[in-house]
Amino acid sequence: MASTHIIRAYDDELKFLFRRISEMGGLAEQMVSDAVRALVNADAALAQKVISDDVILDNAEREIGDKAIVTIAKRQPVASDLREIMGSIRIASDLERVGDLGKNTAKRVIAVQGTGVPRSLARGLEHLSELALAQLNEVLDVYATRSPEKARSIRDRDEEIDAMYTSLFRELLTYMMEDPRNITTCTHLLFCAKNIERIGDHATNIAETIYYMATGAQPEGERPKDDTTTSVGAPSEQ
Amino acid sequence: MASTHIIRAYDDELKFLFRRISEMGGLAEQMVSDAVRALVNADAALAQKVISDDVILDNAEREIGDKAIVTIAKRQPVASDLREIMGSIRIASDLERVGDLGKNTAKRVIAVQGTGVPRSLARGLEHLSELALAQLNEVLDVYATRSPEKARSIRDRDEEIDAMYTSLFRELLTYMMEDPRNITTCTHLLFCAKNIERIGDHATNIAETIYYMATGAQPEGERPKDDTTTSVGAPSEQ
């Protein structure tokens, strides 16, 4: 009886970590989606909501970390149970960073409000965030099912986001060159685009962690490349 | 005898984590310093070295994580020993990110090589990186001594880096507005400056982790603010 009780309590602790991480994932997605909507609609109230929501993710990450340590100390898990708990800590950290990127995007809403976001750039940002959010959403589904094959396939398809980001990066440079009055707004939009591109990197990290939780190994093969805009030179040099 | 042997083996494992993290810290500092030097001197060979060094940090982080898990599973530590090991994982993760920021800066060396970096901007970047590296260096010293008071004082003084970053941000916008031919280079330099500013954030994270390792608590009071350039509007609006 006693051991059944202990096993059930332990199981509850793992379920708690799982549930809190799923909640963090849902909130992180919402924050990013709201931040981009606030940006393209110059919606300062929605931006403020995203900024205040960030503390919920910060607290959730801390709570998951504390609970994970208590569980390790109390249950002394080994092998896959230990990986499950260590993986929870890592995923919570990536989701907290996604929230930070949403918040940083939201904080730029006020700065670009004066000029507004040109329609074609807004569409580009929306499209980029749809790709990143789809990747994040898929990785959170894989977290629920723990399929290492699916985790690997997500990790291998960051290229679409990167190509979209590169094209947006070039478009932003062109806008700035056309009219110096666009420079401040476009600079903020560049950082927003970079924020969204990095959400894809965190989804990739999470996919790697899930693969590790399921198999105890790191996925083989190169990680997807860093963004390729680092080598974009001035148009005249190309 | 047997228990002395076990204690010594355990102590060796903790020392291993400490030594590997100190090595990671040294390499991360070197990478950032080299990346900025490569940028201001248009030194493509040095940039390439930084880019290739990054894999050493990636592997070290993985090795520390694996070793930490083996140690937890084998020794089942509690309280401060467990915090020591969990803290090692977190610090290794922050140092790996510092290396990534150095690498991302190095990758932009080629893109700005055509135009070169104007002298006053180079000085600004050098100054910003000196501040960030001094903070990182100090936090690594505190990691060796484990003083919670010092850890807290580092955490509370990110403002200097932020002020320097904001001034550089404005200067870069001004350069872009003066001549559209500066836009591509200045965009890359903006990302470099942001990378360096974020190194300060990671030093702050590490300081918080050291405080937690020493005391089991999070430092009280607000975390230093995110960068304030998110609200910089166009000059005409101000």
Side-chain angles (χ1 to χ4, degrees), chain B residues 127-147:
Chain B
H127 189 188
L128 185 65
S129 71
E130 279 157 20
L131 289 177
L133 284 171
Q135 202 191 7
L136 185 61
N137 191 269
E138 202 173 324
V139 92
L140 290 168
D141 281 350
V142 176
Y143 173 63
T145 61
R146 302 300 163 90
S147 156

Side-chain angles (χ1 to χ4, degrees), chain A residues 62 65-66 68-70 72-73 75-79 82-83 86 89-90 93 97 100 103-104 107-111 114-115 165 169 173 176-178 180-181 183-185 187-188 190-191 194 198 202 208 212 218-219 225-227 229-235 237, chain B residues 62 65-66 68-70 72-73 75-79 82-83 86 89-90 93 97 100 103-104 107-111 114-115 165 169 173 176-178 180-181 183-185 187-188 190-191 194 198 202 208 212 218-219 225-227 229-235 237:
Chain A
R62 195 160 295 174
D66 290 347
I69 292 175
V70 168
I72 292 174
R75 310 293 175 194
Q76 304 175 338
V78 291
L82 183 57
R83 291 203 306 271
M86 300 303 294
I89 296 174
R90 280 204 232 163
S93 161
R97 287 295 303 137
D100 279 347
K103 180 173 84 166
N104 186 279
K107 284 171 103 174
R108 297 180 190 274
V109 168
I110 308 291
T115 56
Y165 170 65
F169 183 91
L173 288 189
M176 291 199 250
M177 287 169 195
E178 274 170 13
R181 285 171 299 179
I183 287 174
T184 304
T185 291
T187 296
H188 288 295
L190 268 174
F191 279 111
K194 180 72 188 166
R198 283 177 55 215
H202 288 288
E208 286 187 352
Y212 161 81
Q218 303 294 333
K225 288 214 183 358
D226 195 15
D227 84 69
T229 59
T230 50
S231 56
V232 171
E237 300 160 29
Chain B
R62 194 160 296 173
D66 288 349
I69 292 176
V70 168
I72 293 173
R75 310 292 175 195
Q76 303 174 338
V78 291
L82 183 57
R83 291 204 305 272
M86 300 302 293
I89 296 175
R90 281 204 232 163
S93 160
R97 288 295 301 136
D100 279 349
K103 179 172 86 167
N104 186 279
K107 284 171 102 171
R108 297 182 190 273
V109 168
I110 308 289
T115 55
Y165 169 65
F169 183 91
L173 289 190
M176 290 199 249
M177 287 171 195
E178 274 170 14
R181 284 170 300 180
I183 286 174
T184 304
T185 291
T187 295
H188 287 295
L190 268 174
F191 279 111
K194 181 72 188 162
R198 283 177 55 216
H202 288 288
E208 286 188 351
Y212 163 80
Q218 303 293 334
K225 288 216 182 354
D226 195 11
D227 83 72
T229 60
T230 49
S231 57
V232 171
E237 299 161 30

Side-chain angles (χ1 to χ4, degrees), chain B residues 91-104:
Chain B
I91 294 176
S93 160
D94 277 300
L95 292 174
E96 191 270 332
R97 288 295 301 136
V98 170
D100 279 349
L101 295 166
K103 179 172 86 167
N104 186 279

